[in-house]
Amino acid sequence: MGLEGQLLPSKRTLSDDTVVEIHMLASRLRQDLGELDDEAIQAISEATGAPEDYVRLAVRSAPVEERSTFIDRMKGAFTAFDPTLRRVTIASVLAAGCGLANAVAGATRDSSGLFGALALIAVIGALWNSAVAKDVRVALLSGGLFGAVSFVVMALFTFLFSLLPQVQLRGPHSMFMLLTTVLGAFGGGIAHALFTANRKKLGLRDPASERQELLHQLQEIQEKLKSDERFVTFVSLDIVGSTGLKAESDPLTVEFTFTEYQKFVQAVVERHGGTVHSTAGDGTTCVFENPQMAYIAGRALLAGLFEFNSFRNRLVRPIEIRVGVHTGSAHIPGQNLTNVNFAHVIDVAAHMQKAAAPGTMVVSETTAKYVSGGLAGIGSEVVDVHGFQAAQWRPRVAIDALPKASEVAGL
C-alpha cells in the first residue's frame, strides 16, 4: 500500500486549500530552519487545523531540493515518522546492540573490556533516547522496551554461542527479564525527568515556547500567502489526435502549422485579457482574471479554428481541440500569474479538458456562476468531473460561434 493508502480518514475532510497551505508553510519553514523537527510539524498542524499525522506524511512525501546527501535524506525521512515510533525504534536498535555485545563478551571472555564498553554506550544511548522523549509515557515505554529487548537478544545469542564446541555459557534466568524491563522503564523515567528539569541549564529551548515562536512565524507566513492569493480562471486546451496529425505530414509542414497554431491561441487569449501560462507538448494552459472573458475566449478558440484550418493549417486534416475551464483561488507569488506552478485550479481545468468531447468545451460550475444562465446557459449536457458539476458547450455552426459584442455585454 502506498503513502496515499496509509492516510488517515481525516485527510478526506481536508480542503484542497488546506493541503496546499500545508505544503507551502512547510516549504517556507524549511528555508528558515532547514530540516523540520517535531515542534515545527506540530506548529504547522496547529496553524492549519490538519491532523499531525497528515502533516508528517505531507512533509515526508514532498520533494526537497536542498536535500542532496544520503544522510540528509535519511534524516528527513526519520524525522517525518511519529515521535513515539522513533523513540521505540531507537530503543530497539540500541537494545539489540547491547544484548549482542553482552553475549559476545561472555562467549569470548573478553578481557579487553571492548564489548562491555559497547554495551555501556548502548545503555547511555538508551537513557538519552528516553530523556528526549516527548512525554514521560514514551520515556517509560522506551526504557522498558530497551530492557526487555536487550535481555531477549542476549539470551538468544548466548544460546547460539553455547552450541559451538568448547564454548560453555549459561544464560541468565528468565525472571531477570522482568527485572531488566522494570529497571529500563525506571531509568528512562528518571532520565526524562532530569532532562526536563535541567533543559535550560543544558542550553536547550523549551518546546512550548519554541512552538509559540513558530506559530507566530507561521502566522506571518500565512498573512503573506493570503496577500498573494488571487481568484483566477484557467483554460486548458489540447489538440485531439496530435500524434496522428504529425505522422501524416512532413516535419516542415508540422512545424509551420503548429507554430501558427500557438500564435493563433496566444492572439485569441491576449485579445480577451488572458495570458498563456504554459505549454506542454501540444497542450496549452491559459490564465484569466475575469471568468467571463475566459469562457468567451474558450468559445472563440473553438470557433476560430474554422478560419485557422481554412487558411493557416497545412496538415492533411483539420486541427480539432478540446477545452476545459475552471475558476478558483491560487497563490500567486509576486502577483505574476505565470508564476503559478502548482495549484488545484490548474489540475481541475485539465480534468475538465480531458472530459470534453473533441471540438467542445467543458466549463465547471464554479466558472458557470459568472456566465449568463449558469450551467444551463452554457449547454444542456451536464457532466460530473472529479466532484464538480460541469456543462459541455458545443458550437452550433463554427463561424456563428464567434462571440459578438452583444454577447459580451450580456455576460
Side-chain angles (χ1 to χ4, degrees):
M1 182 181 295
L3 288 178
E4 292 298 326
Q6 299 174 21
L7 288 177
L8 298 176
S10 56
K11 185 229 182 229
R12 291 192 291 268
T13 65
L14 295 179
S15 69
D16 296 301
D17 289 340
T18 301
V19 175
V20 172
E21 186 178 21
I22 289 172
H23 284 284
M24 298 192 74
L25 291 178
S27 176
R28 293 292 183 92
L29 280 184
R30 272 202 182 101
Q31 294 174 7
D32 297 335
L33 307 177
E35 205 57 62
L36 301 183
D37 57 13
D38 292 336
E39 302 307 323
I41 290 174
Q42 189 173 349
I44 293 174
S45 174
E46 294 177 9
T48 60
E52 189 174 331
D53 288 335
Y54 177 76
V55 175
R56 291 185 183 280
L57 181 59
V59 169
R60 180 171 54 185
S61 60
V64 184
E65 296 178 0
E66 301 298 329
R67 192 184 297 166
S68 55
T69 67
F70 175 77
I71 294 177
D72 289 336
R73 290 194 295 270
M74 292 297 295
K75 181 181 177 182
F78 193 63
T79 304
F81 283 118
D82 179 78
T84 301
L85 179 60
R86 288 208 307 272
R87 297 298 147 217
V88 167
T89 302
I90 294 173
S92 300
V93 172
L94 291 172
C98 180
L100 177 59
N102 284 326
V104 172
T108 60
R109 302 188 182 280
D110 178 37
S111 58
S112 66
L114 172 63
F115 292 101
L118 292 176
L120 180 61
I121 291 173
V123 171
I124 294 174
L127 289 173
W128 176 259
N129 182 56
S130 295
V132 297
K134 67 175 184 178
D135 55 46
V136 68
R137 179 186 64 84
V138 178
L140 293 172
L141 175 63
S142 301
L145 184 65
F146 174 83
V149 173
S150 61
F151 179 90
V152 171
V153 172
M154 182 177 66
L156 172 63
F157 280 97
T158 298
F159 169 74
L160 294 176
F161 290 144
S162 67
L163 299 178
L164 299 175
Q166 299 181 348
V167 176
Q168 294 182 352
L169 283 176
R170 186 174 180 181
H173 194 278
S174 58
M175 288 300 295
F176 280 100
M177 180 176 177
L178 179 62
L179 178 61
T180 57
T181 303
V182 172
L183 287 176
F186 180 74
I190 293 297
H192 183 270
L194 290 174
F195 180 80
T196 303
N198 296 279
R199 183 183 291 272
K200 290 184 179 179
K201 294 180 181 179
L202 294 172
L204 301 173
R205 303 178 65 179
D206 179 60
S209 61
E210 183 179 359
R211 190 163 60 253
Q212 288 300 318
E213 214 172 284
L214 284 170
L215 284 171
H216 179 71
Q217 186 176 351
L218 287 173
Q219 185 177 6
E220 293 180 349
I221 294 174
Q222 284 176 317
E223 291 175 356
K224 178 65 171 61
L225 291 176
K226 287 179 180 178
S227 68
D228 288 340
E229 190 170 1
R230 297 268 291 279
F231 200 65
V232 291
T233 301
F234 277 86
V235 177
S236 175
L237 13 150
D238 189 51
I239 297 176
V240 180
S242 59
T243 302
L245 286 172
K246 293 176 180 178
E248 295 168 355
S249 302
D250 63 86
L252 289 177
T253 300
V254 170
E255 183 177 357
F256 171 82
T257 301
F258 278 81
T259 300
E260 289 298 305
Y261 166 76
Q262 291 295 341
K263 292 179 181 178
F264 158 71
V265 171
Q266 183 170 354
V268 172
V269 168
E270 291 180 353
R271 188 166 66 245
H272 291 84
T275 303
V276 174
H277 173 270
S278 59
T279 57
D282 300 316
T284 307
T285 302
C286 312
V287 59
F288 295 79
E289 293 191 80
N290 188 328
Q292 298 173 328
M293 298 308 295
Y295 166 66
I296 296 174
R299 291 179 57 174
L301 285 166
L302 285 167
L305 281 176
F306 176 83
E307 180 183 1
F308 175 85
N309 286 318
S310 299
F311 300 103
R312 299 162 72 180
N313 183 358
R314 299 291 185 268
L315 303 176
V316 297
R317 288 189 289 125
I319 283 180
E320 195 172 25
I321 64 173
R322 51 167 63 95
V323 183
V325 185
H326 180 60
T327 301
S329 60
H331 295 289
I332 304 175
Q335 299 298 315
N336 187 341
L337 294 174
T338 58
N339 286 342
V340 184
N341 293 318
F342 306 102
H344 183 62
V345 61
I346 300 178
D347 295 336
V348 176
H351 290 310
M352 296 288 166
Q353 176 255 114
K354 292 176 183 177
T360 70
M361 173 174 59
V362 169
V363 183
S364 73
E365 58 185 332
T366 312
T367 304
K369 294 176 183 177
Y370 302 90
V371 176
S372 178
L375 287 177
I378 294 171
S380 58
E381 300 174 72
V382 178
V383 294
D384 183 86
V385 181
H386 280 254
F388 290 91
Q389 273 200 325
Q392 189 160 250
W393 181 83
R394 295 177 180 272
R396 292 186 295 274
V397 179
I399 195 65
D400 292 339
L402 286 167
K404 303 178 178 61
S406 59
E407 291 177 323
V408 177
L411 292 174

